[in-house]
Each structure stands twice: as C-alpha cells, then as structure tokens.
Amino acid sequence: MTREKVRGHNNNNNKDHLNVPRSASSLCTSSSSQSAVSLSSFGSTNSSCSTTIEDDNVISNIQSNVQRRGRKRCNPLKTRLKYPNKNLPSEATISDIATSHRKSNEKTFDTSNTFQNYVRKEFESSNVYQLHGTNCDPEVFLIPVNDRRSGSFFDRVVSPNKVINFIAQHMKVYYDLSNDHDAFSSKRMAMDDNMWDNLAYIIPLLCRQMNQVLQSETIVVKVEPDCLIFGDVHGNLNDIHHIYTHCIINPRYAKYRFIFLGDYIDRGPKPIEILCFLFALKLSDPNRFILLRGNHEVLRVNRKYGFQALCEHIFEDTFLRYPIIGKLAFESFNRTFTYLPLAAIVRGTGNHSLFCCHGGIPNQKLKSDGHHRSPWTISELNALTNQYHPSLLEPTKHEGKGYRALNEILWNDPIPIRVRNKKRFINKLFYCNKKRGGHCSYFSESALTDFLDTNHLTMLIRGHQYRHCKKSGFHYDFDNRMLTVFSSSNYCGQRNTTGYVAITGSECNVMARVLRQSDESAIYSDFNILKVTINSKTKEIEEILY
C-alpha cells in the first residue's frame, strides 16, 4: 500500500508488541475544552465525545502527534497516476467470469477460528479498558455501565447522539476553508487519524445495533410524506456535511423524513465516516431516516472497488493488539448491508404513491402457465423477506427468479435513449444489460408503466446513474414517470451539479431540486480523491491513494 509508515509500527516483527496502548497524552483533552453540536432534532446529550479539534492547543497536539503515531497519508495530487482509473469505470460492472475463481470464498464471512480468537481477545472488556486515557478510548461513545472491565465488550451499547455530535463537529472544522484550503495539510491528516482512532472500536457495536433495528424492516418499506430523497454519495463526506447542515438540521425540514437511495461507499475517500454517521442517524430515529441498499453495498462489488483495501489500510496502525480491525470493520459493514431494505414506497392518498430504489424495477416473472409474464407486486417482493433477508445478493445469472428480482432492484437501468427507436428494441420490455456484466436488465417505458400501474404507483425515483444528472443533479424520463437523482459532487474527478427530491403533501407532490451547483462544490474537489490501481491479470488491488 502507498500510505507511508514513518516508523513502521505494523512490521511483521512488531505485531506481538501492539498490545501496549500508546501514551495517554496522545490526543485527549479535558472535558472543559470539548463542545458538542446542538441537535434539537435528536435530543440533547450530557456527555461530550472525544477531541472536537476546535481548540488551537488540540490541533497543535494532534499535529505534533503525527510522527509518533507512525503513519502519514499520501497526497494523490502528487502522483503520476491518471484519474479516474481506467480499470474502474464510472458505472459499476461485475463479471461472473472475472471473479468466478473467488466466488466460493465470498459467499460467507470469515469464521475461521484463528480470526475469531483474535477478535475475542482484542475485544475483551479488560483489554479494551487499557485504552482508557488514549484518544481511541471507545467509552466516550458508549452508554455508561457500573463496571466497564467486566462482561463482554460486544454487549455494550453505542450512544448514536454522541457519534453524531463527534462526526458533525469533525466535518464542521475539516471543511472550513477560511484559513486553510489544502485538503492534504498536516492538520487535516492528523484529524483523519484522530477520527479513525475514535471509530475503530465502536464500528462492530454500531453495526450490531443497526442489524437489530433493520431486522424488523421488510425488503420494501413504507414511508409517509413529507420527505427528502438523496441519490448516490459515493464516499464524499463533504456532500453528507452539506446535506446535514442544509437539510437535516434545517428547521424548515424538522418534520421531514430522509431517504437515501444507496451507494454510500466506493469512489470516494470517506466511506467509513459516512457509514458511521448515517448509521448513527438511523439509530437515533429509525422512522425518520431510511437507508436503502445500493449495488455497491454488495460484498463482491465493494471488495472489487477498494472498500476492503481502504478499511484494512486505514486501520492497519491503530492502538490494537492484533491488526484485525480493518478486516473486522469491512465484514461488520457488509453484514449490515445484508439487512438494508431494497426499496421504499412513499405512500400518498389514492394512487399518489412513489417507488424509490437504487437501480430500477425487476424483470417480470413467468406466470404459473409458464408462458405469460406479469410485473412483480410489492406484496410479492415483501414475501421474499424471510427467504432473502439478510442476503449477500451477489450479482449472478444463475439463481432463482426471486433472488434475481432483488438483485435487479439494485442494478437495473432504463433502456438507453440512443437505442430506443431501433426496431429490435421497440417491442421489448426488458433486455440483457451486458454493460454491467449481463446479470441485470434494461427496462423499457412500457415495462415501467406496467409495474407502476399494477402496484398503483405514479413514479419511480432512483439513483445509480450519473451520466444524465451531471448538469442538473437530476433527470426526468419516460414521460416524467421516472426521476433519476445523483447527490455526489466532484464525482470521479469531474465537476457536476448534485440534486435531491422533495416529496410534499398527501398527494406526494414531487419537486426535483439542485443541491449544489458544480461551481459551488468545485472548491472541495481535492477533498474527494480516491485512486485505486488494479492488477489487470490478477484483478487484485495493488495500490490505493486517498
């Protein structure tokens, strides 16, 4: 990996010596120097989190601590690699053939005895207690207990408001350009280290709590208006900061619900912070925040696009006895992805309801006579909950119709405009989408009309495609019965406008709006760089720069 280690704490010869926590003077401050963001919509909290990084003395301590921490982030702007990487197209594609040799290893998470023993030893309460006084002490994010040294650490409960306050304060300072425009300044690199150290131990707990909440949700959830809908964010924490400050804590939207259409990770450098922040929001008010699953919330996809490499690289030099937290974080996040709902119905009066998902409508199923096809109904999709929830949902052409239908909700695209008038496509409802690997479909306007009418819906709202949303952040199609929205700025090194959708009233009035113009977000372009180099023969990640 390209992230330089100044003192090489993670050399193989040193792994047995990682059980000693670093000095308690590292990045901790007294409670008097800490402050929390006021969140009326989430309730107040009496406990302050770890370093808020606003005090000059704290920043000085962090900067002086970088050399002792033993790691330094590389600046991708100084490399000769081209961006975006040719091996990583702007739209995800997965080939069954290219990854078939690894397929059997990706169907389950790592349950090896060696790895599980390391996890148990690392997360013994008595061992975690040794982190007291360091900047990665997880206690500042947890609900207090009488004796933190007894019992299992995995039984502890994270306070979502504490995580929200901490990350919100981090974003406020991190994206403040009033005095410093350098995305790779020593101050911001040190802030990154501080953030990762604080999140390291709470990620498994946060994901466990999310799993418990999501278990009660069906594959298609129902949401009442009013609500705001956001498209792909792809690891761009600056966009989440903008959404948070302008929408989530905006008094104008105090009674709104918020729907995210998936693709929270990959192609951006801050997926871990985004997941922890959105998970904390969901835990703080499960009915107000709806997190749908995108095609990048699939293990096989995000492994290919660098999420595992990023997790392992970020957490390779933390305050740990065993260097396993990167792998554990990757598996914890992906296990939670398997519980995420795939679609949401914004339910208005009468037939004024909307279908929201990441990709598109599923291919029609064969009727019992084996000759005629009919659209899936919402009740039929929800009937698959017990069978496929949770599920890895690997992209494949060789599973049953129910499994494939759920996959297609994540992957399907509308028929491209350039081929709609060609004779061989005019009468087709669906046809194979070879661009994304052949395991999903293109759907036509007629197919969409059949699906919406069958389910008494008026419109499909989706994400998944950047191309047509570049100029306005959203794109209407199919006689305004489909709306695509994209909410990630500076996407793959390009300048683009981002959008969102407001749904108001009992009749579900749809208003597509601009979230940020390209010129407004361009000043943060250096903050959203992730470069991944893949070996063309082995398909393994060789280098990652962020």
Side-chain angles (χ1 to χ4, degrees):
M1 295 297 181
T2 58
R3 187 174 180 182
E4 301 169 10
K5 294 193 287 289
V6 179
R7 296 175 58 188
H9 287 298
N10 267 358
N11 290 339
N12 293 332
N13 295 334
N14 294 335
K15 285 183 179 179
D16 294 334
H17 303 289
L18 294 176
N19 58 336
V20 181
R22 289 170 173 80
S23 170
S25 64
S26 56
L27 303 180
C28 294
T29 58
S30 64
S31 59
S32 61
S33 66
Q34 298 173 355
S35 60
V37 177
S38 176
L39 298 174
S40 58
S41 56
F42 303 109
S44 60
T45 177
N46 294 325
S47 301
S48 55
C49 296
S50 187
T51 312
T52 60
I53 323 178
E54 200 163 40
D55 186 84
D56 290 340
N57 294 328
V58 176
I59 293 175
S60 177
N61 290 337
I62 292 175
Q63 291 174 334
S64 63
N65 193 51
V66 172
Q67 292 294 327
R68 191 183 57 75
R69 283 286 292 110
R71 64 185 182 189
K72 183 174 70 174
R73 184 178 61 168
C74 289
N75 183 347
L77 298 178
K78 295 181 180 179
T79 68
R80 295 182 180 180
L81 294 178
K82 294 182 178 180
Y83 184 83
N85 191 289
K86 291 182 179 180
N87 292 322
L88 295 176
S90 60
E91 292 185 356
T93 176
I94 289 290
S95 170
D96 283 338
I97 297 176
T99 55
S100 60
H101 64 285
R102 301 179 57 189
K103 190 172 180 179
S104 59
N105 296 328
E106 294 174 352
K107 287 191 174 181
T108 58
F109 297 105
D110 192 330
T111 57
S112 64
N113 291 332
T114 302
F115 179 71
Q116 294 301 320
N117 287 336
Y118 280 149
V119 171
R120 279 193 293 270
K121 290 179 181 179
E122 182 59 51
F123 283 86
E124 289 176 356
S125 294
S126 57
N127 187 36
V128 176
Y129 181 76
Q130 297 180 45
L131 298 173
H132 178 68
T134 67
N135 67 299
C136 64
D137 185 1
E139 192 66 28
V140 294
F141 299 107
L142 304 179
I143 303 241
V145 294
N146 293 331
D147 184 5
R148 56 177 292 194
R149 285 174 288 187
S150 62
S152 172
F153 180 75
F154 285 114
D155 293 334
R156 297 294 302 275
V157 178
V158 175
S159 170
N161 287 338
K162 293 181 180 181
V163 178
I164 293 168
N165 291 340
F166 174 72
I167 299 180
Q169 180 69 10
H170 170 90
M171 293 189 295
K172 178 182 178 181
V173 179
Y174 197 89
Y175 294 114
D176 181 5
L177 303 184
S178 57
N179 297 316
D180 182 8
H181 287 74
D182 184 6
F184 302 95
S185 65
S186 58
K187 166 189 168 181
R188 288 192 172 92
M189 290 185 179
M191 289 173 66
D192 284 332
D193 276 341
N194 186 55
M195 169 62 68
W196 298 328
D197 287 337
N198 273 276
L199 296 179
Y201 268 84
I202 69 168
I203 287 174
L205 308 186
L206 200 62
C207 291
R208 186 209 71 211
Q209 291 172 229
M210 274 291 291
N211 298 347
Q212 293 171 349
V213 169
L214 294 172
Q215 281 177 355
S216 61
E217 296 187 353
T218 54
I219 286 176
V220 182
V221 296
K222 294 182 180 180
V223 184
E224 299 296 326
D226 301 338
C227 57
L228 300 184
I229 302 173
F230 302 94
D232 309 34
V233 291
H234 278 300
N236 192 336
L237 187 64
N238 181 251
D239 289 317
I240 292 294
H241 179 234
H242 188 84
I243 291 170
Y244 176 73
T245 55
H246 289 78
C247 300
I248 294 177
I249 60 174
N250 186 338
R252 175 183 178 183
Y253 302 117
K255 296 183 179 180
Y256 277 61
R257 292 176 172 83
F258 300 91
I259 301 174
F260 292 84
L261 299 180
D263 275 14
Y264 313 106
I265 62 176
D266 296 338
R267 298 205 180 90
K270 306 290 185 184
I272 294 171
E273 292 90 329
I274 287 176
L275 290 175
C276 289
F277 190 63
L278 292 181
F279 285 4
L281 289 174
K282 175 70 175 179
L283 292 172
S284 70
D285 194 340
N287 293 323
R288 191 181 181 209
F289 295 94
I290 309 299
L291 306 183
L292 302 184
R293 190 175 183 181
N295 63 309
H296 279 265
E297 281 72 62
V298 172
L299 184 145
R300 232 171 104 192
V301 179
N302 58 55
R303 173 179 281 162
K304 171 184 175 179
Y305 284 82
F307 184 51
Q308 181 178 14
L310 188 64
C311 287
E312 293 179 352
H313 200 27
I314 280 175
F315 293 116
E316 69 178 353
D317 188 31
T318 48
F319 296 66
L320 301 175
R321 173 180 297 179
Y322 306 104
I324 49 90
I325 192 63
K327 184 176 183 179
L328 182 61
F330 172 74
E331 294 192 356
S332 298
F333 283 133
N334 270 285
R335 188 173 284 107
T336 299
F337 294 160
T338 66
Y339 288 94
L340 291 176
L342 306 187
I345 300 289
V346 182
R347 184 64 68 185
T349 58
N351 290 341
H352 299 286
S353 298
L354 312 170
F355 186 75
C356 306
C357 67
H358 180 72
I361 61 171
N363 203 331
Q364 295 183 352
K365 64 185 187 305
L366 282 173
K367 290 185 176 180
S368 58
D369 60 13
H371 298 290
H372 299 87
R373 292 182 175 271
S374 61
W376 285 86
T377 64
I378 302 304
S379 59
E380 288 172 338
L381 291 173
N382 272 332
L384 300 173
T385 298
N386 292 335
Q387 185 177 0
Y388 297 114
H389 189 70
S391 175
L392 290 179
L393 287 184
E394 288 186 338
T396 178
K397 296 175 278 189
H398 309 295
E399 296 289 347
K401 62 181 181 180
Y403 189 92
R404 182 161 183 174
L406 300 184
N407 256 313
E408 290 192 324
I409 292 176
L410 305 183
W411 285 90
N412 279 4
D413 294 313
I415 291 179
I417 297 174
R418 67 182 183 276
V419 302
R420 288 179 190 175
N421 294 325
K422 293 186 178 181
K423 289 185 178 180
R424 58 176 174 154
F425 298 119
I426 288 178
N427 296 321
K428 281 194 174 184
L429 297 178
F430 295 87
Y431 74 94
C432 181
N433 187 342
K434 295 182 180 179
K435 182 176 180 180
R436 292 194 185 271
H439 53 81
C440 55
S441 305
Y442 290 112
F443 59 91
S444 67
E445 182 175 357
S446 297
L448 177 63
T449 300
D450 289 347
F451 177 84
L452 295 178
D453 292 346
T454 298
N455 290 287
H456 309 291
L457 303 167
T458 57
M459 179 182 283
L460 164 66
I461 299 178
R462 63 187 292 272
H464 196 41
Q465 283 185 302
Y466 157 77
R467 185 185 302 109
H468 299 303
C469 300
K470 182 176 181 180
K471 293 183 179 180
S472 63
F474 55 87
H475 175 69
Y476 283 98
D477 203 352
F478 290 158
D479 197 25
N480 289 344
R481 299 202 72 181
M482 184 181 72
L483 175 59
T484 303
V485 60
F486 200 84
S487 303
S488 178
S489 63
N490 300 302
Y491 180 66
C492 289
Q494 305 177 59
R495 293 190 179 183
N496 61 288
T497 298
T498 57
Y500 70 105
V501 182
I503 310 298
T504 59
S506 60
E507 295 186 351
C508 289
N509 300 309
V510 178
M511 292 168 284
R513 298 172 176 170
V514 171
L515 187 62
R516 274 195 296 184
Q517 296 286 353
S518 58
D519 293 341
E520 183 182 355
S521 58
I523 58 175
Y524 296 101
S525 59
D526 290 351
F527 289 82
N528 192 44
I529 293 180
L530 176 69
K531 296 181 179 180
V532 178
T533 303
I534 296 179
N535 187 298
S536 59
K537 294 182 179 180
T538 65
K539 304 299 181 184
E540 298 292 336
I541 293 175
E542 292 182 337
E543 192 173 46
I544 187 165
L545 294 171
Y546 56 98

